[in-house]
Amino acid sequence: MIEYKGKDHGSAGWIIAENAFDARYLAKFETILCQGNGYLGLRATTEEAYTGERRNMFVAGTYNRFANQEVTELPNAADMVRLDISLNGVPFHLEKGTIHAYRRELDLRQGELRREILWEDEAGVQYKLCFRRFVSLRDRHLIGIRAEITPLNQDAEITIRSGINGQMANSGAQHFLEGERRIFDQELLQLTATTTESGIDFVHTCLHHLSKDGTRLNVSPAPAMERRKVLLTYKIKAEAGKRITLDKIATVHTSIDLEWSDHPVANLPALQETARDHVWQAAIKGFDQLFAESEQAWKRQWTDSRIEIRSKDPFDQLAVHFAQYHLLLMTPAHDSRFSVGAKGLTGEGYKGHVFWDTEIFIMPYFLYTDPQTARKLAEYRYHTLNGARKKAKDNGYRGAMYPWESAVTGEEETPEWGPVDVVAGTPTYIWTGKIEQHITADVAYGVWHYYQATGDQEYMDRYGYEIILETAAFWASRLEWSEEDQKYYICDVIGPDEYKEHVNNNAFTNYMAYWNITKAMECARQLMHAQSDVYSALDSKFALAERLMEWEEIVKLIYLPQPDPDTLLIPQDDTYLHKQVVDLEKYRNQEIVATILADYSMTQLSDIQVSKQADILVLFYLLEDWFSRETKAANWHYYEPKTLHDSSLSLSTHSILACDVNDVELAYQMFAKAARVDLGTNLHSCDEGIHAASIGGIWKAVVMGFGGVRSWEGTLRLNPKLPPAWESLSYPLSWRSERLQVKITRDKLLVERLTSGTGQLNLSIHGQSYLLKDRIVVDLEEVMPSE
Ligand code: BGC
């Protein structure tokens, strides 16, 4: 079904193809072949409709709450992709007639989706159908669709019904009011619909052009309006061998688009008119030129960010291109009011909500590749700081307590009820929104990481310090004093491993809370000495001097579980190591994830030594210098066999950590699995949408794992270790306003400076210091640590 190669020369590593049609797997392809540009995401639904399809288009940040007892979610906008095609009165539908040839492919080079079909209807008439589609990277509102139909062995009457369909829903939840439908000049369609609670206007506009063998046809379409729909039907006679082409140019605008966000809602007519002008102007350019403009933007994108892997397995190169493609699609780089949803803009899963996935798994790509976009993600957490303050206050804490699931306000958006509890037969209560609290430290870590990699002092002065100080204040108020042990504990939490609910002293949470408070103290002291104006402003807002005194007292008493002197094991939480050990083989060899939940309830899982995902290993990666290599290895080998990797976040972390403990073969095996979470041959692995953090994890495993990139307290580290299957790896790297190009071969590391800075850059390569002026070449055999 899936093919990982294209046909033309030069397409190796760039094409993902579906080489046969099977309606059972529509959702998989809709997700992986999704198109977008960070503003909008368009699932790759076919033009003709099928049962089981998930016809989705999302616009970043346009959340709506369907009803009071539900959480806010990204609404599924009106569909403009569907074309109802009838050939001699027979609906074109691939489950009828005969398919003689079928191929659909996504070309990552310019984000184009193409489909070619040779189809014979039940009366023996053969047709060639070709579809092309792009979401412009140049003009973020714009979608281009082209359908070409050629009857091959007989003349045929072709009917195409096309327009805007606002009957879309999110699994039954309808987020829009009925709206307004218009047809202008018999060819331009517009449907405006407003979200029911957030009051966001969506303006969908489209226009069609028809031609026969390249010559424009003037066909008068039959107009129609149905409930939440506006449509045109074109009827064309086509002689055998003549190609009929329909070009559809469509746009979506919303009243919260940056260019409109300051205008009062009453300005809707102006927004509608702008949208119409937009489409008229675009139509003058036409499909080919619009596509060429978008293609240019993609070319620039790839020139700036391309990673090259020379591997025995060509899949590796494709996987990293695929990851970079989807990282661009999922990230609203244009607007810092929004951030990245756990499924990007590719599906309804997780309702478009933002998790720790962003700071820990996705942001690193932008930090080291496109720092301007990273800044947007870092600003987002400032825009949502008041919501986090409210959450802290509502829960009886101080400072800022970030939501486990975030949308636009920063208030908690985690739904309360989830999938079935197999024992109780009721929905499972979702505790994460209440007690998965490490997110607050993860956000602070993201801010600090951003600062380390970019040196963006202006960001820190305006936003960053405040986040770090307010998150630290939360932790200080969250700690619980144990009179008996004379220690501060953090009880009743969920750590990254979500198969353990209500645990005390999850190591990850405790260490990160400790890190957060110590970092805030360090920042405050540093500001006091070096930036007294910033310090005074923060001091008058937060009584910093008092806070500092309080933190100095408590921080040394926070309980940080230490490695056992004999085994080097760090307990994941107070009770994990005493729980029952069961045979997990069946679940570790599963085809689909989370099969254990069909046998055990969450309560039962809490009593077994089984982990959903990397927990303490994420800590080893974030705070790498706090733990020895031996400790990392011992814990890797203890916890991994108990880990089901039921979260897609898990494999990439394991791959990176395996690199850190010098087991590159194992790291490669883990990478190979991580790279196949979405793109692999499991045909249902991503029906609900892409695994955004896993996609970020692919880049991380390549650049931070095998490429060895880390930053630690202001120093860029490069500790590359290529897996045996790779001949070379080369990647661009942004570091403190400099652009570098790194090339790693089996025995050499070459670092080139692309920007013409004057000073020298300090680099640490496998623990040795180097000064980079223009380029350095390092003999890896000399500097690599021995096994
Ligand atoms: C994982 C979380 C993750 C969330 C969103 C869950 O399954 O356990 O760690 O943040 O998915 O990706």
Side-chain angles (χ1 to χ4, degrees), residues 309 311 316 629 633 636-637 651-673 701-708 710 719-729 744-746 766 780 784-787:
I309 302 174
S311 168
D316 298 344
R629 201 173 99 191
W636 203 104
H637 292 297
L651 290 161
S652 60
T653 307
H654 278 83
S655 173
I656 295 173
L657 257 292
C659 275
D660 286 3
V661 299
N662 267 350
D663 197 337
V664 187
E665 287 266 15
L666 192 56
Y668 185 64
Q669 287 166 24
M670 287 290 177
F671 162 74
K673 287 189 190 165
V702 170
V703 172
M704 305 186 86
F706 303 120
R710 301 297 157 81
N719 300 332
K721 288 167 198 152
L722 291 195
W726 291 7
E727 193 185 307
S728 67
L729 163 67
I744 305 155
T745 57
R746 299 226 57 84
H766 284 298
L780 287 175
M784 288 274 265
S786 49
E787 295 304 301

Side-chain angles (χ1 to χ4, degrees), residues 342 350 355-357 361 404 436 438 496 498 612-613 646-649 693:
Y350 288 123
F355 293 67
W356 72 316
D357 306 30
F361 296 87
W404 177 245
E436 190 153 0
H438 62 84
E498 293 181 349
K612 180 178 178 187
Q613 63 202 92
D646 280 352
S647 156
S648 68
L649 281 58

Side-chain angles (χ1 to χ4, degrees), residues 360-362 364-365 621-622 652-653 656 693 695-707:
I360 308 302
F361 296 87
I362 294 158
Y365 171 68
Y621 151 77
L622 295 180
S652 60
T653 307
I656 295 173
I695 293 286
I698 296 175
W699 176 86
K700 276 174 62 180
V702 170
V703 172
M704 305 186 86
F706 303 120

